[in-house]
Amino acid sequence: MLSEFKDFIAKGNVMDMAVGIIIGAAFTAIVGSLVADLINPIIGLAMGGVDFTNKYAVLSGTVAEGATLEAAREAGAAVFAYGSFIMAVINFLIIAFVVFMLVRFVNKAKDAAAKEEEAAEEAPAGPTELDLLAEIRDALAKK
């Protein structure tokens, strides 16, 4: 059983997956910063200064007017944090688009490599040894 586990871990797919997860976690931090620090201010500016991160509706409890989402949660109020959901959707769309672009780039690179291999395989390699021997035989037979 231990050797099977070693074989499983040593396979390239598992290592590729582990690297992908680690890079994905780091990439999530980058996208989070992109959305929070760059995209949110632009969206807020376009919508008249609206900041989605603190948009919520109080379902029950009392919250001071103008309180942030964090303050409302600390006060114990049940809140419907639709702004956080909007930001999660924006994060998802950005991540999905970037992953799409990466997959598209990798697929194009694979297709180009496959075309190069096909071109190399289709190129005539020249006569084989048997072809040369047959030509010599035919040339000797003509004399």
Side-chain angles (χ1 to χ4, degrees), residues 2 13 16 27 33 37 46 54 61 79 82 91 97 99 101 120 131:
L2 186 59
N13 293 341
D16 292 344
F27 184 70
S33 175
D37 300 331
N54 284 313
V79 293
Y82 62 89
N91 282 343
F97 180 73
V99 168
M101 295 303 288
D131 293 336

Side-chain angles (χ1 to χ4, degrees), residues 56 58 60 62-64 67-79:
Y56 64 92
V58 178
S60 68
T62 55
V63 177
T68 65
L69 176 61
E70 185 178 326
R73 286 181 173 159
E74 286 177 4
V79 293

Side-chain angles (χ1 to χ4, degrees), residues 57-134:
V58 178
L59 299 177
S60 68
T62 55
V63 177
E65 190 173 325
T68 65
L69 176 61
E70 185 178 326
R73 286 181 173 159
E74 286 177 4
V79 293
F80 184 72
Y82 62 89
S84 295
F85 177 74
I86 291 171
M87 296 316 305
V89 170
I90 291 171
N91 282 343
F92 170 77
L93 292 174
I94 292 170
I95 291 171
F97 180 73
V98 171
V99 168
F100 166 74
M101 295 303 288
L102 288 172
V103 169
R104 185 174 174 217
F105 174 75
V106 168
N107 286 341
K108 282 186 178 183
K110 283 183 180 180
D111 289 344
K115 286 179 183 177
E116 287 177 10
E117 285 180 15
E118 287 177 12
E121 289 175 4
E122 291 176 2
T128 64
E129 186 177 332
L130 289 174
D131 293 336
L132 291 175
L133 289 172

Side-chain angles (χ1 to χ4, degrees), residues 45-58:
L45 184 63
M47 298 187 73
V50 176
D51 180 17
F52 285 115
T53 55
N54 284 313
K55 293 295 178 185
Y56 64 92
V58 178

